Amino acid sequence: MQFPESWLRRFCNPDLTSQQLADLLTMAGLEVEELDPVAPPFTGVVVAHVLEVAKHPDADRLNVCKVDAGTGEVLQIVCGAPNVRPGIKVPCATIGAELPPGPDGKVFVIKKGKLRGVESHGMLCSAKELGVSEESNGLHILADDAPVGQNIREHLRLDDTLFTLKLTPNLAHCLSVAGIAREVSALTGAPFTLPAIEPVKPTVDAALKVAVQSPDLCGRFAGRVICGVNPQAKTPDWMVERLARCGQRAVSALVDISNYVMFELGQPSHVFDLDKIQGDLQVRWAKAGETLKLLNGNTVTLDEQVGVIADGQQVESLAGIMGGDATAVGDDTRNVYLEAAFWWPKAIAGRARRYNFSTDASHRFERGVDAAPTAQYLERITQLILEICGGEAGPVDDQIIQQPARTPVTLRLTRAQRVIGMPVTQGECETVFQRLALPFEVLEVQGDVHFVVTPPSWRFDLQIEEDLIEEIVRVVGFDKLPKRAPKAPVTPLVRPEGRKSLYAVRRGVAARGYQEVITFSFVEERWEAELAGNTNPIRVLNPIASPLAVMRSSIVGSLVDILKNNLARKAERVRLFEVGRVFLRDASVVDGDQTVGGFHQPVRVAGLAYGPADALQWGSASRNVDFFDVKGDVEALLAPRQPSFVATEHPAFHPGRCAQVVIDGNAVGFVGELHPKWRQSYDLPQAPVLFELDADALTQRVVPAFTSVPKMQSVYRDLALVVTESTAHDALIAAITQAPTDGLVRGARLFDIYKPKSAVAGIADNERSLAVRVELRDDEQTLTDERIETAMQAVLASLAERVGARVRG
């Protein structure tokens, strides 16, 4: 919310400087984000009257002007502005004037000089040269009645300050200059004065019938016809100035008046061209498939969730958001229909963002606009239209369907004292409520003072006891709160030894060479369908952007998108990881302090590796990262727990290069290479390798347990086995370790793979030779050759039975 200080002081003028006023508002919860002067400092610029203009004798683009600057003599000034002409009044910087600094930061001092041999005694200025505008199309032409010789700062009221407030959504009553002034009055005790609004007496009987068909959309609708307006009337300079200082560009008198009252009193309105309306108006929810061309030129398709104002033929306006192009006022408009309404906040919230834009009107209506003075504010708009554009007004059609109910809120004095942390008195509370114009009743209940406060029509935010406590402390002053250190003991929670923190997990992944990223939980629906196989994602009701429309059920899509951004910036080797929540449908989840019924929100750890396996170096041959590199990273992160990797399929991964990570019989995630079709679809030069694991599996760790040093030595036997190429490593090792040897086999490790390039006796084309070292040990006695041989025969039998292995001859 941006506004000029001078306008605020027309409503409430406390004895405070600009900075003190800004500090007061900030400490009261209305954060002043910026405090800027309307114009930078400059001196010596006055209103001047251009008397004569003649061509420069030696320059086609320069003119020699005779100017009256109120100095008692006519000044000769050389000017190159294209819009200079006799009779206009413009700002003139006289000799010795200091203009705002230029790009070099130095003050520009006006001196007597010569331009192409012609003397110049000053400078005629544009708005940009004075620092009051970023654009310049020539000289800044002033009103015809501007007093010659008057200081331009005084004439243009440039000694003003722009306040920019960063308002939270609960402060809807402060989205107008009058609303902010009401707060300043409550905080300082200075009187608050609204502009006098006299009802306009109807002079014509013209009226337009309006039927409010949807009470859940519109609670109050007021309108009137005004005939014979002049749409080309000039908007007064004072109104243009105030609108500009609120960040609003002047359009036309009718539109400017509507915008002016919105900034002044907080009531958005709309002006229809009456002659373009076909039949009566209807206020209703839109029908699916209806379309509307808006004032911004966009054509939108509507559905049953959007409110509209329609005539007998078509939709004419998006309710509380923006009018339609078909009934927009223009230069040929003669009769208008003026509308001001109360739209329910829930009926407006998020509707504009569906169509990728926002308006000042929707910003106010979705937070709550005071419904009580709707008709009164309509009179204010009418009053200004008649003054500026002329015309004759018809009677006001004010339909009150259902206004917001204001439920009384009870405040306990002892509760307020306990929450605020200082002994506020009953009198202080009463003073606060009186200043804020909050009607209240005082009751005594069991020795405690209770205030029963009925929120006024403009306060949508006062709903619970804590809201009233906040009002008390911000009016009394946060600076009055006592500064006391907390007395409660701070006892840290002791984490079980069998678990580690997510921070430790992050450090572990980073130690493997990965860099952490943080992405939105909102993702594109395409990612969910293609990379997670999720055809029914959880949709966001009010997405911050149209692509971010669903909640992610996997982090893979986010990492692939970050990879694309890095590749677009010429990164060659990329290692990324993210720790974040995913969102899954689960009917078994019930509402709780940290849960939402019907939705499971586990934390996942996902990583991506792309490019060379090692950073640029000389010690080994360069190669790209592969499945086994990332598989090794996963094993290192889960160590000392021993995961197994089971070949599987996943929508995002290559069907032959994907494995499910299993620990203690439970699947905890996936690791795999991106599917070739997604590599092509997402324009990746090569496929990255990714993993995604449940964070719970990574935060669990094995608590060390004491085991004695073996008293007996181990015995090792090497086996050269011939197996088919389809035999998996895990199956081979399991066949050895699970052989019936009475526990003698303590481990097995593959240490060589041999695949002959040509036919070799004993090894078929679809076979290969594997060398495995088997460890045997008995903790109680020394192994004999007979027991070793018996155990090895059992191992060979198990290998033959389970994987079809045979000893290589």
Side-chain angles (χ1 to χ4, degrees):
M1 175 69 186
Q2 179 179 302
F3 61 91
E5 180 183 357
S6 58
W7 197 3
L8 174 68
R9 291 187 181 274
R10 294 290 294 271
F11 292 95
C12 181
N13 190 13
D15 187 18
L16 298 173
T17 65
S18 299
Q19 187 60 54
Q20 289 173 334
L21 181 59
D23 294 341
L24 176 74
L25 290 172
T26 299
M27 288 304 296
L30 286 71
E31 180 185 352
V32 178
E33 193 172 28
E34 294 181 12
L35 195 66
D36 299 312
V38 168
F42 60 83
T43 60
V45 183
V46 297
V47 177
H49 185 204
V50 179
L51 303 176
E52 298 177 13
V53 177
K55 285 292 183 183
H56 193 289
D58 295 325
D60 293 337
R61 296 186 179 182
L62 295 179
N63 296 289
V64 180
C65 306
K66 301 295 184 181
V67 176
D68 178 11
T71 60
E73 60 178 338
V74 176
L75 303 178
Q76 176 176 285
I77 298 177
V78 178
C79 176
N83 62 338
V84 65
R85 63 182 185 274
I88 62 174
K89 292 182 178 179
V90 295
C92 175
T94 57
I95 300 299
E98 295 183 355
L99 295 185
D104 59 357
K106 297 180 180 179
V107 174
F108 186 64
V109 180
I110 302 298
K111 300 177 182 178
K112 179 180 176 181
K114 285 186 178 182
L115 292 175
R116 294 289 184 93
V118 177
E119 287 190 351
S120 183
H121 298 266
M123 173 181 170
L124 304 185
C125 303
S126 67
K128 185 175 183 180
E129 288 164 338
L130 297 179
V132 298
S133 174
E134 293 296 327
E135 299 179 359
S136 175
N137 296 317
L139 299 178
H140 182 44
I141 299 177
L142 306 175
D144 293 338
D145 59 352
V148 173
Q150 185 182 26
N151 188 302
I152 201 70
R153 298 193 71 89
E154 179 184 350
H155 178 70
L156 295 179
R157 294 177 288 276
L158 299 181
D159 293 322
D160 199 356
T161 304
L162 294 182
F163 280 64
T164 302
L165 269 57
K166 186 178 181 181
L167 299 175
T168 51
N170 64 312
L171 297 175
H173 59 288
C174 294
L175 287 170
S176 67
V177 179
I180 297 167
R182 184 188 287 115
E183 289 294 301
V184 173
S185 176
L187 295 168
T188 63
F192 170 62
T193 306
L194 281 172
I197 303 175
E198 296 294 335
V200 175
K201 185 177 180 180
T203 55
V204 293
D205 295 331
L208 181 63
K209 186 177 180 181
V210 180
V212 180
Q213 299 177 356
S214 303
D216 56 341
L217 168 64
C218 179
R220 185 173 185 177
F221 191 95
R224 81 184 323 160
V225 171
I226 304 178
C227 300
V229 299
N230 175 16
Q232 299 184 43
K234 184 178 182 296
T235 305
D237 291 339
W238 58 267
M239 183 178 289
V240 173
E241 172 196 293
R242 286 180 178 175
L243 287 173
R245 294 179 184 181
C246 289
Q248 181 69 46
R249 179 178 58 88
V251 180
S252 66
L254 290 170
V255 175
D256 293 343
I257 291 168
S258 174
N259 288 333
Y260 179 82
V261 174
M262 177 181 67
F263 285 112
E264 179 186 49
L265 302 174
Q267 174 64 59
S269 59
H270 186 63
V271 183
F272 295 86
D273 188 323
L274 179 64
D275 299 324
K276 296 178 182 177
I277 297 176
Q278 305 176 54
D280 300 333
L281 291 182
Q282 307 166 8
V283 178
R284 58 173 173 81
W285 294 105
K287 300 173 184 176
E290 287 186 314
T291 60
L292 171 64
K293 184 178 181 182
L294 297 168
L295 288 174
N296 61 8
N298 295 342
T299 299
V300 296
T301 302
L302 312 176
D303 58 30
E304 298 90 340
Q305 301 298 316
V306 181
V308 298
I309 300 175
D311 61 17
Q313 299 295 325
Q314 61 184 0
V315 174
E316 300 296 357
S317 175
L318 278 183
I321 300 174
M322 183 181 288
D325 182 69
T327 54
V329 294
D331 291 344
D332 57 348
T333 299
R334 291 295 173 266
N335 306 305
V336 300
Y337 181 74
L338 179 61
E339 166 264 315
F342 167 73
W343 307 99
W344 291 102
K346 289 184 179 179
I348 305 300
R351 269 60 173 189
R353 286 185 289 277
R354 289 187 180 188
Y355 305 110
N356 300 321
F357 68 88
S358 181
T359 63
D360 289 317
S362 65
H363 183 76
R364 285 161 174 78
F365 279 125
E366 64 188 4
R367 285 160 174 75
V369 171
D370 188 1
T374 302
Q376 183 183 9
Y377 292 167
L378 186 73
E379 297 283 6
R380 170 66 170 163
I381 303 169
T382 305
Q383 188 181 72
L384 291 172
I385 289 177
L386 296 182
E387 289 177 5
I388 298 169
C389 302
E392 296 180 287
V396 173
D397 175 23
D398 185 16
Q399 301 182 48
I400 301 177
I401 300 93
Q402 181 184 359
Q403 298 197 73
R406 290 291 181 257
T407 305
V409 181
T410 300
L411 169 68
R412 297 163 291 174
L413 182 59
T414 54
R415 167 71 174 166
Q417 293 171 342
R418 187 165 62 254
V419 172
I420 295 173
M422 69 179 188
V424 292
T425 65
Q426 177 181 341
E428 288 176 319
C429 294
E430 292 177 353
T431 301
V432 169
F433 295 149
Q434 290 167 356
R435 285 189 174 187
L436 292 171
L438 304 180
F440 66 93
E441 181 183 357
V442 181
L443 304 176
E444 187 168 340
V445 180
Q446 296 180 352
D448 191 10
V449 177
H450 286 204
F451 296 92
V452 181
V453 179
T454 303
S457 58
W458 63 84
R459 295 301 297 267
F460 286 76
D461 58 317
L462 302 181
Q463 299 178 3
I464 60 176
E465 187 175 22
E466 283 71 16
D467 294 331
L468 295 177
I469 295 174
E470 179 186 0
E471 294 300 300
I472 291 172
V473 70
R474 73 185 187 89
V475 174
V476 170
F478 288 106
D479 56 327
K480 304 269 195 320
L481 293 176
K483 298 177 182 178
R484 293 196 296 263
K487 295 182 179 179
V490 179
T491 305
L493 295 176
V494 179
R495 184 179 294 108
E497 190 178 359
R499 297 194 69 85
K500 56 185 175 182
S501 69
L502 278 175
Y503 293 103
V505 172
R506 287 185 171 94
R507 288 193 292 270
V509 184
R512 305 295 300 176
Y514 293 78
Q515 291 184 315
E516 185 174 12
V517 297
I518 300 174
T519 62
F520 279 123
S521 297
F522 314 132
V523 298
E524 293 188 29
E525 189 170 356
R526 174 194 176 191
W527 301 353
E528 282 296 294
E530 295 177 349
L531 301 178
N534 184 7
T535 58
N536 183 28
I538 301 168
R539 298 190 176 277
V540 181
L541 296 179
N542 183 19
I544 59 176
S546 54
L548 308 179
V550 300
M551 304 296 290
R552 67 185 179 190
S553 63
S554 170
I555 306 179
V556 169
S558 301
L559 294 181
V560 170
D561 185 58
I562 296 295
L563 172 62
K564 287 184 61 179
N565 287 333
N566 279 269
L567 294 180
R569 287 155 180 80
K570 306 301 182 183
E572 296 181 353
R573 184 176 185 272
V574 180
R575 299 291 188 277
L576 307 170
F577 82 95
E578 180 174 7
V579 178
R581 292 191 182 276
V582 297
F583 304 86
L584 313 170
R585 298 184 185 275
D586 188 345
S588 64
V589 178
V590 297
D591 280 323
D593 293 337
Q594 297 181 339
T595 59
V596 177
F599 301 99
H600 183 40
Q601 306 174 59
V603 178
R604 298 267 178 86
V605 179
L608 176 148
Y610 175 92
D614 299 310
L616 190 63
Q617 44 81 42
W618 57 269
S620 60
S622 177
R623 64 176 181 84
N624 286 329
V625 68
D626 60 19
F627 172 88
F628 297 101
D629 292 315
V630 178
K631 174 176 176 284
D633 290 336
V634 171
E635 289 178 323
L637 294 174
L638 291 169
R641 305 175 75 193
Q642 296 291 326
S644 59
F645 296 84
V646 181
T648 188
E649 293 187 1
H650 187 281
F653 299 140
H654 192 299
R657 301 173 186 175
C658 171
Q660 188 176 54
V661 184
V662 179
I663 294 182
D664 300 331
N666 298 317
V668 298
F670 293 89
V671 58
E673 181 182 298
L674 191 68
H675 199 291
K677 66 179 179 181
W678 303 139
R679 180 187 66 78
Q680 296 177 2
S681 177
Y682 290 90
D683 297 324
L684 301 176
Q686 64 188 60
V689 184
L690 303 100
F691 67 86
E692 185 172 40
L693 305 171
D694 289 332
D696 284 344
L698 291 167
T699 55
Q700 295 178 18
R701 58 182 167 192
V702 177
V703 179
F706 171 77
T707 56
S708 60
V709 177
K711 297 178 181 180
M712 303 298 172
Q713 292 183 349
S714 297
V715 174
Y716 298 93
R717 293 290 184 267
D718 292 344
L719 295 176
L721 304 171
V722 177
V723 296
T724 61
E725 290 187 342
S726 61
T727 302
H729 169 270
D730 288 351
L732 179 75
I733 299 302
I736 296 173
T737 56
Q738 296 175 13
T741 60
D742 295 331
L744 294 185
V745 175
R746 297 303 178 94
R749 183 177 294 274
L750 175 68
F751 65 88
D752 185 43
I753 300 176
Y754 172 63
K755 174 69 177 176
K757 295 181 180 179
S758 58
V760 175
I763 302 179
D765 291 339
N766 66 337
E767 293 180 328
R768 56 184 172 177
S769 173
L770 305 179
V772 181
R773 176 161 295 175
V774 182
E775 178 186 5
L776 301 97
R777 187 178 70 244
D778 188 333
D779 292 334
E780 301 299 329
Q781 55 185 325
T782 303
L783 290 176
T784 62
D785 290 341
E786 292 78 6
R787 293 186 65 192
I788 294 173
E789 184 61 26
T790 301
M792 293 304 298
Q793 290 299 323
V795 167
L796 292 174
S798 177
L799 286 166
E801 179 182 353
R802 295 193 178 199
V803 297
R806 66 180 186 276
V807 176
R808 179 180 170 188

